[in-house]
Amino acid sequence: MTGNANTIGRPRAFDVDKALQKALEVFWEKGYEGTSLPDLTEAMGINKPSLYAAFGNKEQLFLKAIELYENRPCGFFQPALLQPTAYQMAEHLLFGAAISSSDPSNPKGCLMVQGALSCSDSANSVKQMLIEKRRSGELQLQQRLEKAQAEGDLAADADCAALACFLVVQLHGMSIQAASGATAERLQQVAVIALKAFAKAALQQTATADSAN
Amino acid sequence: MTGNANTIGRPRAFDVDKALQKALEVFWEKGYEGTSLPDLTEAMGINKPSLYAAFGNKEQLFLKAIELYENRPCGFFQPALLQPTAYQMAEHLLFGAAISSSDPSNPKGCLMVQGALSCSDSANSVKQMLIEKRRSGELQLQQRLEKAQAEGDLAADADCAALACFLVVQLHGMSIQAASGATAERLQQVAVIALKAFAKAALQQTATADSAN
DNA sequence: AAAGATACCTACCGAACGGTACATAAATAT
DNA sequence: ATATTTATGTACCGTTCGGTAGGTATCTTT
């Protein structure tokens, strides 16, 4: 899939995956609308026609960048859902976000949040698409919590939707703080506080063994 | 200050304060860069030369809109600092943010967050200015907590900086959720959970009477 | 070696951007 | 009445935006 080994016609002079990686970094840093075509071509080391031939247009390139983002930098999300208990999921989620969004080797914050939080009318489809991705993530979280509830891993009277929203608030709030310059240490302190709240709100009946203070 | 009663020259055909209010709404909805001059002039009911004569330029207009925003829609912040106890401050802050950022009579979310979260290089000064405003708010919060600590209203071993950061994470995270369509009810549920965390982290030694489950 | 396919590069497109010159209109001051 | 001052409205400025036409270079196929 990656190599363009045995194809007819003149071969590409650049690596599509590496170019996409560069595009991701720029979009992450400047957002969808804040990123210009020259920003992209310069970072990717190609010119505009090559970009359009390889990726379609700016919006489709952004979609592919988002896809890459979900698999790589934001890759802590899906594994967190697979943790054996709701508490461990929350733990992975919160510390994953704290570390990921302040990772010095990447732009600060979360692309799904700052990619197109507010924008002109012409970028509304991108904004809407990010909203839906965020809501989808929240829904997955909620469903994981409901599963935990069915398994007796979460208090029967806990409000899974509210708890999922609470967790997402932490993730997005921490990403804003990271974008404002917060350190990984500070965000981890916040994660510790939030985790106590989660434990208290989620485990009030079952009184699970580990965790909580 | 508002009226232009007895001045020489042709009088303004529009109300500066109302025009600024309209500009605030547009910036709030679309962000600094997402808002175009035609967006502004149409909403304000004036044309470009009038806008430039009255407000300077787009950036200065944005600064005045931010100022108005801090006094009006985001007006729950400063009063919260004046609450008698740290817990009550947190309470006012969290519920204020929950209600304010989802207020159906205004654009969703927080202008200080989504006004210029990520942007092109040319808007970097605006982005930086919002970052500093957010950090300043966090610092005020931290200082209020330190005061509470000095008054014995907060556990002596509580980390005021971490707690302030935690509270700001809630405010900003809730504003993202509001921008994604979360209801006031849902955000208030989140505020309840966060408040429990605050109580647990802040009052662990003093074991204050009220609050906390 | 010729033909066909694909990529690269320069140079350009119309539209929208933020911002302004300049003439006209409406008020006060003398 | 006239001069002065300020606001309005139109029409424009140079720049940048996302996107593309068309010629040239480099590969495979036959």
Side-chain angles (χ1 to χ4, degrees):
Chain A
M1 255 325 203
T2 294
N4 47 349
N6 285 354
T7 57
I8 62 179
R10 180 172 172 177
R12 279 217 176 78
F14 64 96
D15 182 322
V16 175
D17 291 347
K18 279 179 182 158
L20 180 57
Q21 172 68 36
K22 287 296 184 184
L24 166 57
E25 288 172 17
V26 182
F27 279 132
W28 198 347
E29 180 76 36
K30 302 187 176 184
Y32 175 68
E33 281 198 310
T35 300
S36 72
L37 267 294
D39 286 339
L40 289 167
T41 54
E42 188 185 352
M44 299 164 85
I46 64 181
N47 47 34
K48 282 194 276 183
S50 295
L51 189 157
Y52 278 80
F55 300 102
N57 62 11
K58 189 187 177 186
E59 180 165 348
Q60 291 171 36
L61 174 57
F62 183 75
L63 297 190
K64 292 185 175 109
I66 287 283
E67 203 174 331
L68 176 58
Y69 177 77
E70 286 182 290
N71 291 331
R72 303 294 193 94
C74 206
F76 65 87
F77 190 84
Q78 291 297 334
L81 297 178
L82 301 177
Q83 289 298 311
T85 68
Y87 182 84
Q88 283 174 291
M89 175 192 71
E91 201 171 28
H92 273 71
L93 226 42
L94 293 171
F95 286 102
I99 288 162
S100 167
S101 63
S102 64
D103 182 347
S105 65
N106 281 324
K108 310 302 179 201
C110 171
L111 176 59
M112 308 259 281
V113 171
Q114 67 210 28
L117 187 53
S118 50
C119 59
S120 76
D121 295 336
S122 70
N124 244 320
S125 61
V126 172
K127 170 181 165 186
Q128 219 57 39
M129 173 265 205
L130 286 185
I131 288 179
E132 276 158 30
K133 287 230 174 239
R134 294 197 298 265
R135 300 187 68 154
S136 155
E138 181 176 351
L139 188 59
Q140 289 178 60
L141 252 164
Q142 178 183 337
Q143 289 168 343
R144 176 63 185 85
L145 291 176
E146 285 164 353
K147 174 162 166 279
Q149 208 165 33
E151 291 168 349
D153 177 35
L154 193 64
D157 63 344
D159 185 334
C160 292
L163 273 174
C165 187
F166 170 77
L167 288 174
V168 171
V169 162
Q170 310 310 309
L171 304 188
H172 296 166
M174 285 196 281
S175 95
I176 303 286
Q177 286 291 67
S180 310
T183 65
E185 292 71 28
R186 175 57 40 81
L187 294 181
Q188 282 170 301
Q189 295 174 329
V190 169
V192 168
I193 299 175
L195 207 49
K196 287 181 183 167
F198 178 83
K200 185 152 193 173
L203 313 172
Q204 46 201 6
Q205 286 193 333
T206 51
T208 310
D210 57 350
S211 81
N213 202 6
Chain B
M1 249 330 199
T2 293
N4 49 346
N6 286 355
T7 56
I8 62 179
R10 178 172 174 174
R12 278 217 177 80
F14 65 95
D15 183 321
V16 175
D17 290 347
K18 281 178 180 158
L20 180 57
Q21 170 69 35
K22 286 297 184 182
L24 166 57
E25 289 172 16
V26 182
F27 279 132
W28 199 346
E29 179 76 36
K30 303 187 176 184
Y32 175 68
E33 281 197 310
T35 300
S36 71
L37 266 296
D39 286 340
L40 289 167
T41 53
E42 187 184 353
M44 300 164 87
I46 64 182
N47 46 34
K48 281 195 274 184
S50 295
L51 189 157
Y52 277 80
F55 299 102
N57 62 12
K58 188 187 176 184
E59 179 165 351
Q60 291 171 37
L61 175 57
F62 184 75
L63 297 190
K64 291 184 176 109
I66 287 285
E67 202 174 330
L68 176 58
Y69 178 77
E70 287 181 291
N71 291 330
R72 303 294 194 99
C74 206
F76 66 87
F77 189 85
Q78 291 297 333
L81 297 177
L82 302 176
Q83 289 297 311
T85 69
Y87 182 83
Q88 284 174 291
M89 176 193 71
E91 200 169 30
H92 273 71
L93 227 42
L94 293 171
F95 287 101
I99 289 162
S100 168
S101 63
S102 63
D103 183 346
S105 64
N106 280 325
K108 311 302 178 200
C110 172
L111 176 59
M112 310 259 281
V113 171
Q114 66 210 30
L117 187 52
S118 50
C119 59
S120 77
D121 296 336
S122 69
N124 244 319
S125 61
V126 172
K127 171 181 165 184
Q128 221 57 39
M129 174 263 207
L130 285 185
I131 288 179
E132 275 157 29
K133 287 230 172 236
R134 293 198 297 263
R135 299 186 71 152
S136 155
E138 181 175 351
L139 188 59
Q140 290 177 59
L141 252 164
Q142 178 183 337
Q143 289 168 341
R144 176 63 186 85
L145 291 175
E146 284 164 353
K147 176 164 165 278
Q149 207 165 34
E151 290 168 348
D153 177 35
L154 194 64
D157 63 345
D159 185 334
C160 292
L163 273 175
C165 188
F166 170 77
L167 288 174
V168 171
V169 161
Q170 310 311 310
L171 304 188
H172 295 167
M174 285 197 280
S175 96
I176 304 287
Q177 286 292 65
S180 310
T183 64
E185 291 71 28
R186 175 57 41 81
L187 294 180
Q188 282 170 303
Q189 296 174 327
V190 170
V192 168
I193 299 175
L195 206 49
K196 287 181 183 169
F198 179 83
K200 185 151 193 171
L203 312 171
Q204 47 201 6
Q205 286 193 334
T206 52
T208 310
D210 56 350
S211 83
N213 203 4

